[in-house]
Amino acid sequence: MNITDDDSPNGARNGMFTPPGDGAGVERAGRPRKALLSSSMVGSTNRGRVLQTLFDLGPTSRAELARLAGVNRTTISGIVQPLIDDQVLVESDPIPANPGGGKPARPLWFSPKARPICGVLLMPDAVHACVSTLDGKIEAERKMALPDGRGPVHPIIETIAECVGDTLAKARRTPFGIGVGVGGMVDTDRGSIVTVNLAPALDRYPLADELGRRFGLPVKLDHHPRALLLGDRWFGAGRGVRQFAVVYTGEVLGGALYFDGHLYRGTAGAGGELGHTFVQLDGELCRCGRRGCWDTIATLSWLRREAAGAGLPEPELIDSGRLADMAARQVPGAEKLLDRYARNVAVGIANLQQTVAPNIFILHGDVVLGGDRLLEAVAAHVRAMVPARPGGQIEFIAGDAGDGAALLGAAGLVISELLQLPI
């Protein structure tokens, strides 16, 4: 028996649901129905799982992939052979078999002849583009300063297009697509920028559509911290990890969450605005117009103001690296400020740990410049703030202080979406 919309229980019609007891005519959005997988979707899902296993484990033979998936080798061959034919994967020379015998293994890995991926990092003052192999080797890149973000948008878009175009021209094959990490709020459903606080000319700009029209390639847009997370997930310390969080500090503060093998985005990409979580009721006014955001106490602007107040030399140039160096040289006031900064970074991490317990934090940006001295201070403050519990050991990993991880993560948006890898 087929159940149509009119046959659905409790008044469900056309994807809407009227709960019992609600007023007549009141409709509320129902839970989306999940269609069964078609045979083509099953094939693409299985392909994605095989590719994800390669990203997690590195070069792996057909026999090992079959063992891990709980299927026979013929099934795996049916999945990987089209990828070999399309030059996505390549099978290496046989390696010696185990002393106990058996057929020599031929590990599969990403082919150097595969179409590359393009990653773009768009920050308020600069655009940075790269072309990368599927296994994360950057083959070409260019970085350009952007015109004033408070002026007209056209010169900004033309600069972005020039940077991306020059980078794509160096690609040996047409890339699979373009991934863009934006240092601002984005609408991932529409592929548009919501707002960039330091470059308001870009607010509400449909950047994915514009780049897709210019270059004839699929374009995926996401928030800068989520691009960082994908850089870690596909190419860095997050490979093979089921749950972790990324925190970025610098001129702004942001973060991203990876739970049970999936990146958390929230509705239309609204999740992960960690810099604007509240850490001080009635605290300092934030650039977002609210008070007490984490962004107000754990970014470079706070650090430089406090450095000036402490009488440290050249406070306008202070970053975590300079501050850690001053503390090591026992410059008066430096050690105390370093500890305060570490505590300010730690309070937001502690709140995040108490809320969702990712247990692993990969730190990026300015905080990495502080080296082990700052990382250990942040870790000590977090552990003092979070009650100990079984299985709750918290790990801190230093990520990238520059653009590398975010660039590769932006390119990783293409891997996640266009190769249909689950993320």
Side-chain angles (χ1 to χ4, degrees):
M1 174 181 174
N2 292 326
I3 299 178
T4 65
D5 287 338
D6 290 338
D7 296 322
S8 301
N10 295 325
R13 297 174 186 269
N14 301 320
M16 304 298 289
F17 174 70
T18 303
D22 272 20
V26 176
E27 289 188 318
R28 301 182 187 277
R31 179 174 297 177
R33 300 174 191 151
K34 293 184 178 179
L36 297 178
L37 295 177
S38 66
S39 58
S40 62
M41 291 175 67
V42 169
S44 63
T45 299
N46 286 338
R47 179 185 67 178
R49 289 177 178 172
V50 168
L51 292 172
Q52 183 169 342
T53 300
L54 291 176
F55 273 107
D56 290 343
L57 300 182
T60 307
S61 69
R62 297 188 196 209
E64 181 65 6
L65 288 171
R67 186 188 70 79
L68 292 169
V71 298
N72 59 46
R73 182 168 170 164
T74 301
T75 299
I76 291 295
S77 292
I79 295 170
V80 302
Q81 191 58 51
L83 294 169
I84 294 172
D85 295 341
D86 290 341
Q87 296 186 325
V88 174
L89 299 180
V90 65
E91 208 161 24
S92 65
D93 294 334
I95 58 176
N98 293 327
K103 189 175 181 179
R106 299 186 65 189
L108 290 157
W109 191 235
F110 296 98
S111 172
K113 297 179 181 179
R115 291 170 61 187
I117 45 182
C118 177
V120 180
L121 178 59
L122 177 60
M123 302 302 276
D125 60 344
V127 57
H128 195 170
C130 80
V131 171
S132 166
T133 61
L134 290 179
D135 58 349
K137 295 181 179 66
I138 292 178
E139 297 184 318
E141 62 181 304
R142 186 178 183 190
K143 186 173 185 178
M144 296 177 65
L146 288 176
D148 189 344
R150 292 162 295 187
V153 72
H154 179 73
I156 300 175
I157 299 305
E158 290 303 314
T159 303
I160 295 170
E162 179 184 350
C163 183
V164 175
D166 286 353
T167 307
L168 290 176
K170 300 172 185 175
R172 49 191 166 65
R173 292 184 65 188
T174 301
F176 278 111
I178 302 170
V180 185
V182 179
M185 295 174 64
V186 298
D187 184 333
T188 52
D189 289 351
R190 296 177 180 272
S192 63
I193 296 170
V194 175
T195 181
V196 178
N197 284 331
L198 302 179
L202 289 167
D203 291 359
R204 298 177 298 281
Y205 195 84
L207 186 62
D209 287 346
E210 177 68 21
L211 293 179
R213 180 184 65 80
R214 288 185 182 237
F215 299 110
L217 293 171
V219 179
K220 300 296 177 182
L221 194 75
D222 215 326
H223 192 204
H224 165 247
R226 288 195 287 266
L228 275 172
L229 186 143
L230 287 179
D232 289 327
R233 189 266 169 271
W234 293 128
F235 309 113
R239 292 178 88 164
V241 178
R242 296 292 296 175
Q243 190 158 295
F244 67 96
V246 158
V247 174
Y248 171 85
T249 68
E251 297 290 349
V252 296
L253 189 149
L257 307 170
Y258 189 72
F259 291 131
D260 196 26
H262 295 282
L263 170 62
Y264 178 75
R265 285 189 172 94
T267 303
E273 290 291 339
L274 302 182
H276 298 290
T277 55
F278 298 114
V279 294
Q280 288 185 329
L281 288 177
D282 303 320
E284 182 180 333
L285 183 67
C286 181
R287 73 189 83 197
C288 73
R290 298 166 182 84
R291 290 189 177 274
C293 296
W294 189 17
D295 192 274
T296 64
I297 65 168
T299 53
L300 284 172
S301 58
W302 179 91
L303 186 62
R304 287 166 179 168
R305 288 197 307 272
E306 295 299 313
L312 294 178
E314 299 183 304
E316 72 281 359
L317 300 178
I318 284 283
D319 58 20
S320 291
R322 286 174 177 258
L323 184 60
D325 178 67
M326 290 180 188
R329 292 187 286 109
Q330 299 184 340
V331 174
E335 181 65 40
K336 183 178 180 180
L337 180 56
L338 184 76
D339 187 69
R340 288 177 61 206
Y341 187 51
R343 184 186 61 185
N344 288 356
V345 172
V347 67
I349 294 176
N351 286 337
L352 190 57
Q353 175 66 20
Q354 289 285 75
T355 305
V356 290
N359 282 12
I360 297 174
F361 291 88
I362 305 176
L363 307 185
H364 289 274
D366 172 71
V367 70
V368 178
L369 297 175
D372 291 343
R373 191 184 196 102
L374 181 55
L375 189 68
E376 290 169 4
V378 170
H381 280 295
V382 172
R383 291 173 181 137
M385 295 173 185
V386 176
R389 57 177 296 158
Q393 183 176 357
I394 307 170
E395 182 180 357
F396 295 87
I397 300 172
D400 185 9
D403 289 350
L407 267 180
L408 287 176
L413 290 167
V414 179
I415 293 173
S416 305
E417 301 292 338
L418 301 181
L419 295 185
Q420 299 178 30
L421 293 171
I423 186 71

